[in-house]
Amino acid sequence: MLVLAAASSHPARADAGTGGSDRVAGILDAQRELRDEMSHSKGKYARLNSDAKAKIRERQDRVAELLEGASSLSDLRPDRQVEVVNALEDINTLITENRADHQTCWRERRTGTTMMSTVCATQAERDRLAEDARAFKSDPGVCIPTGTAGAASCGRIGE
């Protein structure tokens, strides 16, 4: 569930996985703390450049907008839950400067059903899947019937 995906001990996502109505309050409190700490010229976020800080503030504003009026993440529609988790992940990625572990979630229809489901993957996983798809597409295998009942010779094109 998305609530669990947002849970972390990191300030950007603190309290997102706790129970009850504290979830939204915890997320908003953590974002206020982070914003306050970033405003100091010294401290643990002093290393962030002004562009990163501006992006973080932009995502924080979006999180606050999405959570307005909600007492729990489950009060939000699934697409808004996904957007909150993605914004929190963006914040975390900007703070930790770790793009490979940046997780993104999206809603999609699985083959054979009309039901929407939420899918999440890290950037490294998405890159690996894209590379595997490119490799498969560029070097397809071919199976040719051999004439023997049910037998086929499978190999690469050009072999």
Side-chain angles (χ1 to χ4, degrees):
M1 174 162 216
L2 287 178
V3 175
L4 297 176
S8 172
S9 61
H10 199 279
R13 297 177 293 174
D15 300 326
T18 61
S21 63
D22 294 326
R23 291 181 191 141
V24 169
I27 291 170
L28 294 174
D29 287 345
Q31 295 309 307
R32 277 190 288 274
E33 275 182 44
L34 175 60
R35 189 173 283 221
D36 185 49
E37 291 220 18
M38 284 190 323
S39 67
H40 302 310
S41 60
K42 294 183 180 181
K44 58 183 168 183
Y45 302 116
R47 64 179 164 66
L48 297 174
N49 64 33
S50 59
D51 185 45
K53 288 179 182 180
K55 287 178 183 176
I56 290 170
R57 285 187 197 98
E58 177 185 310
R59 276 33 166 227
Q60 288 176 321
D61 291 343
R62 183 63 181 149
V63 167
E65 179 184 326
L66 290 165
L67 295 178
E68 189 173 336
S71 59
S72 172
L73 288 176
S74 60
D75 293 345
L76 302 174
R77 294 187 328 248
D79 59 321
R80 290 200 169 235
Q81 289 179 6
V82 167
E83 198 171 344
V84 168
V85 170
N86 286 342
L88 293 173
E89 277 292 328
D90 288 346
I91 293 167
N92 189 49
T93 298
L94 288 163
I95 290 171
T96 61
E97 298 172 340
N98 186 357
R99 183 77 187 138
D101 288 337
H102 174 87
Q103 186 175 42
T104 303
C105 298
W106 60 94
R107 304 275 297 158
E108 69 179 28
R109 282 189 177 84
R110 295 289 182 155
T111 304
T113 182
T114 59
M115 301 279 296
M116 296 289 284
S117 63
T118 302
V119 181
C120 299
T122 64
Q123 185 64 44
E125 291 168 334
R126 291 171 49 209
D127 290 345
R128 188 178 65 248
L129 289 171
E131 180 57 36
D132 290 349
R134 277 190 294 276
F136 177 79
K137 189 176 174 184
S138 68
D139 195 14
V142 176
C143 293
I144 303 169
T146 61
T148 311
S153 171
C154 297
R156 300 202 188 285
I157 295 175
E159 287 183 358

